[in-house]
Amino acid sequence: MDSFIYASSPSRVIFGRGSITTLGEELKRLGKEKPLFVTTPRGTQTIPELEQILTTASLASAGVFGEATLHTPVEITAKALEYLHAVAPDCIVSFGGGSAVGLGKALSVRTGLPHVSVPTTYSGSEMTGSLGETRDGRKTTRSEAGIRPAVVIYDVDLTLSLPVATSATSGVNAIAHAVEALYAPDKNPIIEIIALEGIKALAAALPAIISSPADIEARSKALYGAWLCATCAGSTRMGLHHKLCHTLGGSFGLPHAETHTIVLPHSIAYNAPSVPDAMGKLTGVLPGSDGDAIRGLNLLLKKLKVKTGLKDFGMKEDDVPKAAEIAMTSPYANPREIELKSLTETIRRCWAGEEARVDL
């Protein structure tokens, strides 16, 4: 067996139906009593329920900032910081998907305030010490220990209202974290076990959610799988897939989870010849693979009835060469050398919505 280093995640995780009711207790455990809620405009509708939970625990919120948005633009963070200084909270509670979690991280790392995350999608940002921020049309990523939330509360009930389409794409986004962990330069056998279990859980649960959105067992399995996959993202370095998604989202304004969903089979196809061992293990947890992981991923996307072309979200074909050039700058660690010609063709296939295939 190869040598490896494994550092466990320091986050405290509360998982289960109704676990949101522990919010007040968790804040008290941290010695805090006056949180700032950070969420999206849609998420503000649920904040009164969270504030009632605080009231029951004899706590109260400092306020609500409800303008979190995709890709964590620095101008939104600046606006949120101004509000934070005005209301003077002693901690931050993010509620929602990756946009809310990202803003919560951005505020926490800038202020040193502890961050409690309440995710309502499967995308997984809450378990990582990384923060992607957008400035002047470019998305950059920073990683440090202080970015990771101190506590994560996974309440299955909060995912029941998650639209089917969003459930599908955020679930595939989670799978992407685990897939890249299988061949990351700092991979280890513990994370490999977690990654394969997470992928297996999501690959089984997501099609069931498409058929029956209120299926509690499927929702529970999906959230469990998302947590495991997010743990992988928080424990290893990501590669070409995440570089492409950060480029496409930050520079072209494409939606986060949908972009991950479209890019995943193509980025894996690009790397497949260089990681046969990882591809072999991946086939074992993707139903219908028949020995071909790319076939399994393509089949999963068909079951989930998701859009498979970036053109469906407004990207122009003329943007493909520019996207490739941006993705070539400051490349992430990757098992296969990144070549401009092959990368450009990979992005073109993502744009066109073609089925992924290993021939580059």
Side-chain angles (χ1 to χ4, degrees):
M1 178 178 289
D2 294 334
S3 300
F4 65 89
I5 296 175
Y6 172 65
S8 61
S9 166
S11 295
R12 175 178 168 86
V13 172
I14 317 297
F15 188 100
R17 295 196 68 182
S19 57
I20 188 60
T21 60
T22 67
L23 177 59
E25 298 170 21
E26 290 302 315
L27 294 181
K28 288 180 177 180
R29 193 187 63 82
L30 292 171
K32 306 302 177 183
E33 58 183 22
K34 189 183 177 185
L36 167 65
F37 284 105
V38 174
T39 189
T40 60
R42 182 172 179 266
T44 57
Q45 301 171 24
T46 307
I47 296 301
E49 298 176 24
L50 305 190
E51 291 179 320
Q52 183 57 49
I53 291 172
L54 296 188
T55 299
T56 301
S58 300
L59 303 178
S61 73
V64 180
F65 186 85
E67 299 179 41
T69 192
L70 287 170
H71 308 302
T72 320
V74 293
E75 59 269 24
I76 295 296
T77 299
K79 186 175 181 179
L81 270 174
E82 184 177 354
Y83 179 74
L84 181 151
H85 291 314
V87 300
D90 60 8
C91 61
I92 296 161
V93 175
S94 63
F95 176 82
S99 297
V101 178
L103 182 55
K105 287 179 170 182
L107 296 177
S108 177
V109 75
R110 285 170 168 80
T111 63
L113 295 177
H115 176 194
V116 175
S117 179
V118 184
T120 60
T121 71
Y122 306 131
S123 296
S125 174
E126 67 280 351
M127 290 302 296
T128 77
S130 299
L131 170 63
E133 298 181 286
T134 305
R135 183 194 300 271
D136 300 327
R138 293 292 178 98
K139 190 170 185 177
T140 57
T141 302
R142 58 191 286 194
S143 298
E144 53 191 270
I147 292 174
R148 192 190 306 267
V151 179
V152 180
I153 300 176
Y154 287 109
D155 189 329
V156 177
D157 290 342
L158 296 176
T159 67
L160 292 176
S161 61
L162 189 64
V164 167
T166 306
S167 299
T169 55
S170 70
V172 177
N173 186 1
I175 289 174
H177 304 324
V179 171
E180 288 217 304
L182 292 175
Y183 52 70
D186 51 352
K187 65 184 177 70
N188 63 72
I190 304 302
I191 288 300
E192 181 179 287
I193 292 169
I194 293 173
L196 293 172
E197 174 69 7
I199 295 168
K200 182 179 179 180
L202 279 162
L206 293 176
I209 289 172
I210 299 301
S211 301
S212 181
D215 185 334
I216 291 294
E217 183 58 33
R219 289 286 185 181
S220 296
K221 182 176 288 188
L223 194 57
Y224 163 73
W227 165 45
L228 296 179
C229 292
T231 298
C232 296
S235 303
T236 60
R237 295 159 64 189
M238 297 289 101
L240 173 65
H241 173 81
H242 282 76
K243 178 62 178 182
L244 281 177
C245 292
H246 289 166
T247 297
L248 293 165
S251 298
F252 300 93
L254 297 175
H256 184 79
E258 290 83 352
T259 300
H260 273 275
T261 298
I262 291 168
V263 171
L264 182 59
H266 296 280
S267 62
I268 303 307
Y270 184 97
N271 281 327
S274 299
V275 288
D277 182 59
M279 292 300 98
K281 291 172 181 174
L282 189 55
T283 61
V285 292
L286 288 173
S289 293
D290 293 335
D292 181 350
I294 306 305
R295 172 188 169 89
L297 285 169
N298 286 332
L299 180 59
L300 178 61
L301 296 195
K302 287 181 179 179
K303 290 180 181 177
L304 300 183
K305 303 175 183 178
V306 294
K307 292 181 179 179
T308 56
L310 296 174
K311 64 182 180 181
D312 294 325
F313 296 97
M315 185 178 182
K316 300 176 182 177
E317 187 171 13
D318 291 345
D319 291 331
V320 170
K322 181 181 178 182
E325 291 176 5
I326 296 173
M328 290 288 291
T329 63
S330 303
Y332 295 1
N334 196 66
R336 177 183 171 185
E337 182 180 356
I338 307 300
E339 302 169 340
L340 181 59
K341 182 178 179 181
S342 296
L343 182 62
T344 302
E345 173 59 14
T346 296
I347 297 173
R348 187 203 65 77
R349 292 177 183 182
C350 294
W351 172 83
E354 298 177 6
E355 275 204 349
R357 58 190 185 276
V358 182
D359 61 359
L360 292 177

